[in-house]
Amino acid sequence: MRDDATQESTGNFTLQSTVRDASLELVVAGELDMAAAFSFESKVDAHLTAGGVEAVVLDLA
């Protein structure tokens, strides 16, 4: 079981990512502008290329 949680902020954008078993859970808040999009993309890509992720849950609430 892999359980990893991180939180990152860029301007008015916050990304919280948690990996539990084979699920990547992403909680995003704030404004997703170009600067935040690069951060978002690199964070998600890093989790996906690390392997073991079979599902992605995206919370936009």
Side-chain angles (χ1 to χ4, degrees), residues 17 20 29 36 46 51:
S17 59
R20 286 195 185 94

Side-chain angles (χ1 to χ4, degrees), residues 25-47:
E25 300 171 7
L26 301 167
V27 179
V28 296
E31 184 176 338
L32 182 58
D33 58 12
M34 288 300 290
F38 289 117
S39 174
F40 177 81
E41 179 183 13
S42 64
K43 178 62 95 175
V44 173
D45 190 43
H47 282 295

Side-chain angles (χ1 to χ4, degrees), residues 6-9 12-18 24-33 36-37 39-41 43-44 56-61:
T6 60
Q7 185 164 346
E8 187 173 306
S9 293
N12 293 328
F13 180 75
T14 301
L15 170 63
Q16 179 181 358
S17 59
T18 306
L24 171 60
E25 300 171 7
L26 301 167
V27 179
V28 296
E31 184 176 338
L32 182 58
D33 58 12
S39 174
F40 177 81
E41 179 183 13
K43 178 62 95 175
V44 173
V56 176
V57 178
L58 184 58
D59 181 350
L60 300 172

